[in-house]
């Protein structure tokens, strides 16, 4: 079986909200049940399950274990977990399903960002010897990256505001978006910086949410649906962690992953990018060589909905949705891990030929 | 179809209560460099890196693989971070193996580690709250359940504790080196979680383990014998639910049967030459012998009693000294796989079981709910 | 270059405080308020009819979401199905100093046990499986909704201070052997 013969046949996401009173396992179960229902499968036919979440985000060691309650793990299942966005759980399942002995996989990702303060939490995600003691927070890293981009002449603050205005406007038609609105970029530029050169509109919110996807081998996919969304390629690459040791204005790992995933200059109709800052959208667009013929983040992207640890799966879902409904012939989803675009995954999706 | 994959290099650190002279990166590199050397490879030969460890709160770094990428040659490559609680070292090997079995990569480096001296594992296991019971406190009721079901005599646990520590004397990497350990000393050591005495419990270790997994071409090119991954499986079940059998978890039974089926093993006790099982508390040796249908119900403790699981016995278990002798939690599962692999490679040094051709590696985690198992063979079936 | 020596390593203590403010799910809020009211609430799965205490808002075995319509009261009397005696270990935040019993109690009416309960009023070595116990309720004015978490399985500690012998005869092993945890 060729690696290209794996398709997405079902998906679901919980609406992204600032604060959910549902527990993470409850959110996961909601997403998993909906994805299973959309795929039209019996959960007992699932051959492999993989989840993505982060203990530190959830707030305790072994916190991910509770989410297993939502995975339909009885009778016992073949299951694994990554301490990463659910998109990497999808990658692991995509690898596993190629062995040929199973034809269905469930992947999900989840996170509740509401209990913690990102500025307090994410310094813990940095090199404990050299960076964390500096108290370097994610907003500052984003700002340093944005400043580098401006200084390199690769973007202007107006570009950032234009990306924000477009995303927030697009998010208005996304029922799952947490943030949305109709803004004139010129008005946005009048706001004060929250961390120069970033303004509030340049920074993705954080959401509580879960998302799930069902993968199937080609034969199974065609039996389940008239519009399977095929994963034509998927790859990911990580870069050096130390932000001072890489060019923050470019994303070579995104370029490399896209190439391995089969981008190769072909037309991309829709790209869902995990740009957590408007500045990152500029960087990613360049890294992927996306031009005016590509619609970027029609869902509104992370600026509209950013359920950390599920946000990557949401990008894949939004891209898949548009392939399935015919809006896009070929779509690309990008997911990031770490800070300042350290680790990037690219997935190329297409309908059946 | 799955392609053949083999462990072609193994490395581990000297495990100790504290490796204070090394940073977390240094600890991982000590194992990784050894694995690369064992495989006759350099960093540039590796296509992807898979990192596994137990809860990040144990060291106080959220997603430490992000900064470790720099020191483990991962820059420019795919990197995955696996986290399946105590079984993680095992499942990390399996994830790495899948990358090769699927034909996506040819040579994958898997690293698993824990630097418990830099945090506080007891605090971590307690979820940062008072009244923590530790891992032993969670498992002690299941152990009592096993003892009641089987009427096993109380000395069985002490016997396992002595066996594993004496085996560790033949493993220069093992944390605990207790040449004078005796049944009496185990019995007299303080009771931690009834019925587990101090000397029946694993230590808290700093340590790392690394393996290089290669495809058929890489295995043929490797300087030393490969350990073919002839079977691998994972199974999970929810932590607690009404009617759960936590003494003999169904996930453990199912996982074992999956690997036996893949390896075409119908009589595990006869067909497997040596096993490295995750035994952090002594009684888990007989419990896993039964829990994986190596011994029938009530027969696991008898295997121990007869000396079957000694190095010279008919079914040696944990010739490396096992988790009872070294427990860097994130690495312990990978150590089981690495030690099992080394047995069929003939690379187990002083604790080599002569003629071992089929070895079982097993790791478990969480509330005895996550299982990862693999069978290694000296020849490709 | 000489190998680094353990003795020359500089160890620095770096304490970090992370604050998590959690919203409790409605099922846990009802459970906690029930405790203050002197009631222990469970939920019954519409598929398998198992009664889970505390309510999680779903049945993990049948993959079914549940709500208040599935809730019911269970007894505050139960059976000890398994336990251990824990010797406390010192770590940051630990307040326990004496060995304590950590038991699972199967409340009458529940299908699953309430874990991590202290059995009081008798020496630890007299605690046994099959023992009949009843909850030691705090005085109504002292009961709080404390001890709950959005991440955990739910706690009775805000209103119940462990369990003690109920005076009933011990229950034979057959009645609880499937409920060790």
């Amino acid at each position: 079986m060729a690696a290209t013969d794996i398709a997405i046949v079902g998906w679901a996401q919980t609406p992204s909200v600032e604060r959910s009173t549902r527990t993470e396992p409850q959110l996961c179960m909601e997403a998993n049940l909906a994805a299973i229902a959309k795929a039209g499968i019996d959960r007992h036919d699932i051959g492999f399950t993989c989840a993505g979440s982060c203990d530190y985000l959830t707030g305790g060691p072994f916190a991910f274990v509770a989410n297993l309650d939502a995975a339909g793990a009885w009778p016992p299942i073949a299951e694994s977990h990554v301490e990463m966005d659910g998109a990497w759980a999808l990658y692991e399942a995509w690898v596993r399903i190629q062995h040929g002995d199973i034809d269905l996989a469930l992947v999900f990702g989840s996170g509740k960002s509401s209990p913690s303060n990102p500025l307090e939490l994410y310094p813990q995600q940095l090199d404990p010897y050299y960076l964390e003691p500096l108290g370097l927070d994610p907003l500052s890293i984003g700002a340093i990256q944005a400043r580098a981009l401006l200084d390199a002449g690769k973007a202007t603050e107006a570009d950032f505001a234009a990306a924000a205005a477009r995303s927030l406007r697009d998010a208005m038609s996304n029922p799952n978006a947490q943030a949305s609105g109709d803004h004139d970029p010129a008005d946005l530029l009048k706001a004060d910086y929250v961390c120069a050169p970033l303004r509030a509109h340049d920074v993705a919110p954080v959401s509580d949410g879960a998302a799930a996807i069902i993968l199937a081998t080609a034969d199974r996919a065609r039996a389940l649906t008239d519009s399977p969304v095929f994963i034509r390629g998927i790859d990911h690459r990580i870069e050096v962690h130390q932000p001072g040791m890489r060019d923050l204005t470019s994303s070579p790992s995104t370029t490399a992953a896209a190439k391995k995933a089969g981008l190769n200059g072909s037309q991309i109709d829709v790209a869902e990018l995990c740009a957590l800052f408007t500045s990152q959208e500029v960087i990613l667009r360049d890294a992927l060589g996306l031009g005016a013929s590509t619609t970027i983040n029609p869902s509104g992207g992370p600026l509209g909905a950013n359920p950390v640890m599920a946000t990557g799966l949401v990008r894949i879902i939004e891209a898949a949705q548009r392939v399935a409904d015919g809006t896009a012939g070929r779509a690309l989803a990008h997911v990031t891990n770490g800070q300042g675009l350290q680790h990037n995954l690219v997935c190329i999706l297409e309908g059946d030929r | 179809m799955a392609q053949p994959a083999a462990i072609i290099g193994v490395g581990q650190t000297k495990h100790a209560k504290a490796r204070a002279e090394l940073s977390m990166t240094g600890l991982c590199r000590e194992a990784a460099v050894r694995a690369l050397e064992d495989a006759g490879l350099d960093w540039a030969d590796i296509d992807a890196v898979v990192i596994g460890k137990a809860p990040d709160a144990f060291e106080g770094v959220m997603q430490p693989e992000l900064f470790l990428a720099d020191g483990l040659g991962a820059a420019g490559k795919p990197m995955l971070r696996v986290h399946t609680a105590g079984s993680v070292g095992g499942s990390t090997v399996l994830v790495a193996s899948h990358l090769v079995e699927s034909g996506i990569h040819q040579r994958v480096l898997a690293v698993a580690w824990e630097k418990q001296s830099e945090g506080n594992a007891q605090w971590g296991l307690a979820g940062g709250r008072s009244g923590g019971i530790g891992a032993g406190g969670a498992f002690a009721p299941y152990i009592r359940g096993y003892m009641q079901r089987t009427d096993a005599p109380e000395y069985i646990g002490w016997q396992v504790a002595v066996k594993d520590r004496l085996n560790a004397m033949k493993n220069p990497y093992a944390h605990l080196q207790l040449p004078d350990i005796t049944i009496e000393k185990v019995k007299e050591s303080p009771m931690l979680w009834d019925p587990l005495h101090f000397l029946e419990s694993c230590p808290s270790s700093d340590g790392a383990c690394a393996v290089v997994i290669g495809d058929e071409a890489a295995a043929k090119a490797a300087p030393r014998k490969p350990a073919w991954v002839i079977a691998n499986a994972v199974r999970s079940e929810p932590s607690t639910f009404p009617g759960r059998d936590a003494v003999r978890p169904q996930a453990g039974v199912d996982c074992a049967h999956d690997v036996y089926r893949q390896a075409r093993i119908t009589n595990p006790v006869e067909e497997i030459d040596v096993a490295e099982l995750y035994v952090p508390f002594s009684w888990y040796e007989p419990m896993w012998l039964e829990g994986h249908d190596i011994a029938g119900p009530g027969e696991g403790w008898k295997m121990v009693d007869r000396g079957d699981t000694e190095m010279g016995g008919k079914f040696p278990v944990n010739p490396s000294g096992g988790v009872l002798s070294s427990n860097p939690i994130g690495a312990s599962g990978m150590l089981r796989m690495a030690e099992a692999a080394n047995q069929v490679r003939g690379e187990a040094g002083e604790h080599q079981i002569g003629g071992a051709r089929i070895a079982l590696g097993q790791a478990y985690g969480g509330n005895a709910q996550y299982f990862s198992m693999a069978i290694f063979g000296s020849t490709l079936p | 270059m000489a190998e680094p020596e353990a003795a020359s390593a500089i160890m620095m203590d770096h304490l970090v405080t992370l604050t998590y403010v959690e919203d409790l799910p409605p099922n846990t809020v009802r459970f906690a308020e029930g405790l203050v009211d002197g009631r222990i609430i469970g939920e019954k799965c519409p598929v398998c009819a198992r009664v889970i205490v505390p309510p999680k808002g779903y049945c993990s075995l049948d993959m079914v979401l549940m709500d208040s319509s599935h809730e019911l009261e269970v007894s505050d009397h139960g059976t000890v199905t398994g336990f251990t005696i824990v010797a406390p270990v010192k770590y940051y935040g630990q307040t326990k100093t004496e060995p304590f019993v950590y038991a699972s109690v199967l409340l009458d009416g529940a299908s699953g046990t309430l874990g991590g309960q202290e059995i009081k009023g008798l020496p630890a070595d007299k605690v046994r499986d099959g023992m009949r116990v009843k909850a030691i309720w705090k005085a109504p004015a002292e009961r709080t909704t404390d001890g709950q978490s959005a991440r955990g399985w739910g706690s009775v500690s805000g209103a119940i201070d462990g369990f003690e012998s109920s005076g009933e005869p011990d229950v034979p092993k057959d009645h609880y052997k499937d409920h060790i945890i």
Side-chain angles (χ1 to χ4, degrees):
Chain A
M1 162 170 52
T4 49
D5 288 353
I6 293 158
I8 294 173
V9 296
W11 56 83
Q13 56 179 298
T14 61
S16 278
V17 294
E18 187 179 334
R19 272 200 106 78
S20 173
T21 56
R22 294 171 87 71
T23 62
E24 204 171 312
Q26 289 170 352
L27 290 169
C28 289
M29 189 171 290
E30 200 181 296
N32 289 345
L33 285 171
I36 288 167
K38 184 175 173 72
I41 59 171
D42 180 337
R43 70 175 173 98
H44 296 105
D45 289 346
I46 294 167
F48 182 67
T49 300
C50 198
S53 70
C54 176
D55 277 357
Y56 253 97
L57 181 63
T58 310
F62 302 104
F64 76 97
V65 173
N67 295 341
L68 184 62
D69 272 5
W74 190 258
I77 56 174
E79 176 271 348
S80 196
H81 169 258
V82 288
E83 196 77 350
M84 309 173 87
D85 189 289
W88 275 273
L90 183 146
Y91 181 81
E92 184 178 330
W94 175 81
V95 172
R96 176 66 183 84
I97 206 171
Q98 292 180 53
H99 294 188
D101 59 323
I102 61 166
D103 51 14
L104 286 171
L106 163 66
V107 302
F108 62 103
S110 61
K112 289 188 70 173
S113 289
S114 57
S116 62
N117 175 354
L119 300 186
E120 184 181 75
L121 176 66
Y122 287 94
Q124 296 307 114
Q125 202 188 42
L126 300 173
D127 182 317
Y129 306 107
Y130 292 108
L131 293 175
E132 189 272 338
L134 300 175
L136 187 53
D137 67 86
L139 184 57
S140 297
I141 292 182
I144 289 170
Q145 185 171 45
R147 169 61 61 203
L149 197 63
L150 293 170
D151 288 352
K154 292 185 177 179
T156 64
E157 291 180 38
D159 293 333
F160 298 166
R166 189 207 73 235
S167 292
L168 290 168
R169 194 177 317 115
D170 288 341
M172 289 170 77
S173 48
N174 179 354
N176 295 308
Q178 173 182 330
S180 63
D182 197 359
H183 304 280
D184 186 330
D187 288 336
L188 291 178
L189 284 169
K190 291 175 188 156
D192 289 339
Y193 294 125
V194 295
C195 188
L198 297 174
R199 296 177 172 82
H201 63 252
D202 292 317
V203 183
V206 285
S207 319
D208 289 352
I213 284 180
I214 305 286
L215 298 180
T217 53
D219 288 347
R220 194 64 187 259
R222 289 177 183 122
L224 285 168
T225 169
D226 291 333
S227 49
V229 178
F230 281 88
I231 296 175
R232 291 302 175 204
I234 181 169
D235 190 84
H236 64 108
R237 305 276 141 173
I238 194 168
E239 293 179 39
V240 166
H241 175 74
Q242 295 283 341
M245 285 178 63
R246 54 190 173 91
D247 173 14
L248 293 175
T249 69
S250 65
S251 188
S253 54
T254 299
T255 305
K259 185 171 175 189
K260 286 280 186 188
L263 185 53
N264 302 327
S266 46
Q267 163 65 9
I268 295 292
D269 302 315
V270 159
E272 282 279 335
L273 310 176
C274 243
L276 301 177
F277 303 93
T278 50
S279 38
Q280 290 183 343
E281 185 182 296
V282 176
I283 296 168
L284 292 168
R285 216 180 179 127
D286 285 349
L288 294 164
L290 300 175
S293 61
T294 303
T295 304
I296 306 280
N297 289 345
S299 67
L303 288 191
N306 183 25
V308 179
M309 291 299 143
T311 205
L313 275 184
V314 170
R315 302 279 72 70
I316 295 172
I317 287 171
E318 296 290 353
Q321 175 67 61
R322 284 156 181 84
V323 170
D325 67 23
T327 312
R330 196 163 158 92
L332 179 151
H334 157 271
V335 188
T336 199
N337 179 36
Q339 298 182 44
L341 298 177
Q342 186 192 351
H343 185 188
N344 297 285
L345 177 147
V346 173
C347 175
I348 297 185
L349 305 172
E350 214 177 52
D352 208 350
R353 288 183 184 139
Chain B
M1 279 316 294
Q3 302 184 23
I7 289 184
I8 62 175
V10 168
Q12 60 182 290
T13 57
K14 162 68 179 153
H15 312 295
K17 183 175 157 116
R19 292 295 308 269
E21 79 284 14
L22 294 175
S23 64
M24 295 176 212
T25 314
L27 187 72
C28 292
R29 284 177 64 93
E30 183 172 293
V33 165
R34 286 180 178 154
L36 288 170
E37 280 171 1
D38 193 37
L41 297 172
D42 205 346
W43 295 102
D45 300 316
I46 297 298
D47 302 320
V49 180
V50 184
I51 298 173
K53 70 176 296 296
D56 295 344
F58 286 169
E59 293 85 12
V61 184
M62 175 177 168
Q63 296 175 280
E65 64 281 359
L66 292 169
F67 90 89
L68 288 171
D70 296 8
L72 291 175
K77 299 176 185 173
M79 186 283 296
L80 287 173
R81 158 69 194 290
V82 182
H83 175 23
T84 59
S87 71
V88 67
S91 44
T92 300
V93 172
L94 269 53
V95 170
S97 183
H98 294 165
L99 287 169
V100 173
E101 290 176 62
S102 59
I104 293 167
H105 297 303
Q106 296 176 279
R107 289 169 298 268
V108 177
L109 172 68
V111 183
W113 66 284
E114 213 70 60
K115 200 162 194 284
Q116 291 171 208
S117 69
E118 288 211 24
N120 188 314
Q122 290 302 317
W123 169 89
L125 289 165
R129 298 195 166 141
S130 178
I133 56 165
F139 298 133
Y142 313 162
I143 290 171
R144 291 183 65 256
Y146 173 78
M147 293 167 78
Q148 286 159 15
R149 277 188 202 179
T150 61
D151 286 323
E154 61 172 353
Y155 61 78
I156 295 295
W158 311 334
Q159 212 172 307
V160 172
V162 170
K163 169 182 74 78
D164 281 5
R165 273 54 173 275
L166 291 180
N167 286 352
M169 296 305 302
K170 302 191 163 102
N171 179 358
Y173 298 112
H175 171 173
L176 294 181
Q177 299 282 316
L178 303 174
D180 300 329
I181 191 167
T182 61
I183 298 271
E184 275 309 301
K185 285 186 176 162
V186 174
K187 182 182 173 181
E188 241 102 273
S189 62
M191 184 74 84
L192 294 183
W193 312 279
D194 199 304
L196 291 169
H197 294 261
F198 174 75
L199 282 174
E200 291 181 86
S201 309
C202 51
S204 169
S205 316
D206 284 357
C209 182
V211 299
V212 179
I213 300 194
D215 63 6
E216 226 176 325
K220 290 197 157 78
R224 280 172 267 287
K225 283 178 61 177
W228 296 99
V229 182
I230 60 180
N232 69 81
V234 291
R235 285 296 187 282
S236 310
E237 65 185 51
S239 336
T240 62
F241 56 84
R244 179 175 182 231
D245 185 348
V247 176
R248 184 185 151 80
Q250 191 62 42
V253 176
D254 292 353
C255 194
H257 284 272
D258 193 348
V259 293
Y260 301 153
R261 181 187 52 77
Q262 290 176 47
R264 296 188 218 278
I265 285 173
T266 52
N267 192 347
V269 73
E270 299 294 335
E271 299 177 62
I272 293 169
D273 298 317
V274 56
E276 284 276 338
L277 307 177
Y278 200 111
V279 175
F281 304 101
S282 57
W283 279 92
Y284 266 100
E285 182 173 290
M287 287 166 76
W288 291 142
L289 290 171
E290 292 185 36
H292 299 313
D293 285 343
I294 293 162
E299 300 295 314
W301 69 264
K302 294 177 189 170
M303 279 183 72
V304 176
D305 204 16
R306 281 193 303 259
D308 289 355
T309 61
E310 295 272 357
M311 279 185 66
K314 97 175 222 190
F315 192 85
V317 176
N318 295 334
S320 67
V323 180
L324 276 173
S325 303
S326 311
N327 190 17
I329 296 176
S332 286
M334 190 176 287
L335 286 166
R336 306 285 68 71
M337 302 298 177
E339 290 285 352
N342 267 353
Q343 289 290 339
V344 307
R345 299 171 76 216
E347 295 286 333
E350 254 195 283
H351 59 275
Q352 177 72 51
I353 302 297
R357 289 170 41 255
I358 300 279
L360 169 67
Q362 174 263 27
Y364 86 97
N367 198 16
Q369 68 192 112
Y370 296 107
F371 293 86
S372 57
M373 298 176 76
I375 295 186
F376 301 96
S378 55
T379 54
L380 199 50
Chain C
M1 186 166 109
E3 288 293 333
E5 292 275 320
S8 64
I10 299 168
M11 298 302 288
M12 186 184 82
D13 273 343
H14 185 64
L15 294 181
V16 172
T17 299
L18 296 175
T19 305
Y20 295 84
V21 179
E22 298 175 332
D23 287 289
L24 294 181
N27 48 290
T28 303
V29 171
R30 289 190 295 270
F31 177 72
E33 289 175 349
L35 284 174
V36 169
D37 217 26
R39 292 176 295 120
I40 302 175
I41 293 171
E43 70 188 353
K44 184 169 178 173
C45 174
V47 175
C48 67
R50 287 180 178 94
V51 176
I52 300 152
V53 180
K56 294 185 188 178
Y58 54 75
C59 174
S60 61
L61 302 176
D62 296 299
M63 233 181 148
V64 161
L65 287 162
M66 291 196 266
D67 56 43
S68 57
S69 69
H70 301 98
E71 287 167 9
L72 71 172
E73 191 177 342
V74 299
S75 169
D76 63 353
H77 279 55
T79 307
V80 172
T81 61
F83 70 97
T84 183
I85 302 165
V86 183
V89 175
K90 273 213 198 98
Y91 57 81
Y92 186 80
Q94 169 72 291
T95 56
K96 294 235 185 244
T97 52
E98 292 304 308
F100 59 96
V101 173
Y102 185 87
S104 291
V105 175
L106 182 64
L107 295 170
D108 298 342
S111 310
T113 55
L114 207 57
Q117 299 306 309
E118 278 205 64
I119 310 298
K120 299 183 172 176
L122 79 174
D125 60 4
K126 294 279 185 277
V127 175
R128 62 234 173 248
D129 296 339
M131 184 180 161
R132 289 288 297 169
V133 293
K134 61 180 183 194
I136 303 169
W137 289 94
K138 294 183 178 174
E142 285 166 33
R143 295 177 198 160
T144 68
T145 54
D146 286 353
Q148 306 306 335
S149 161
R151 287 178 293 104
W153 314 113
S155 169
V156 298
S157 59
I160 289 173
D161 221 352
F163 284 73
E164 62 188 352
S165 171
S166 69
E168 299 158 286
D170 284 10
V171 166
K173 192 159 141 187
D174 271 350
H175 288 221
Y176 62 84
K177 68 174 163 58
D178 293 332
H179 301 277
I180 289 178
I181 53 162

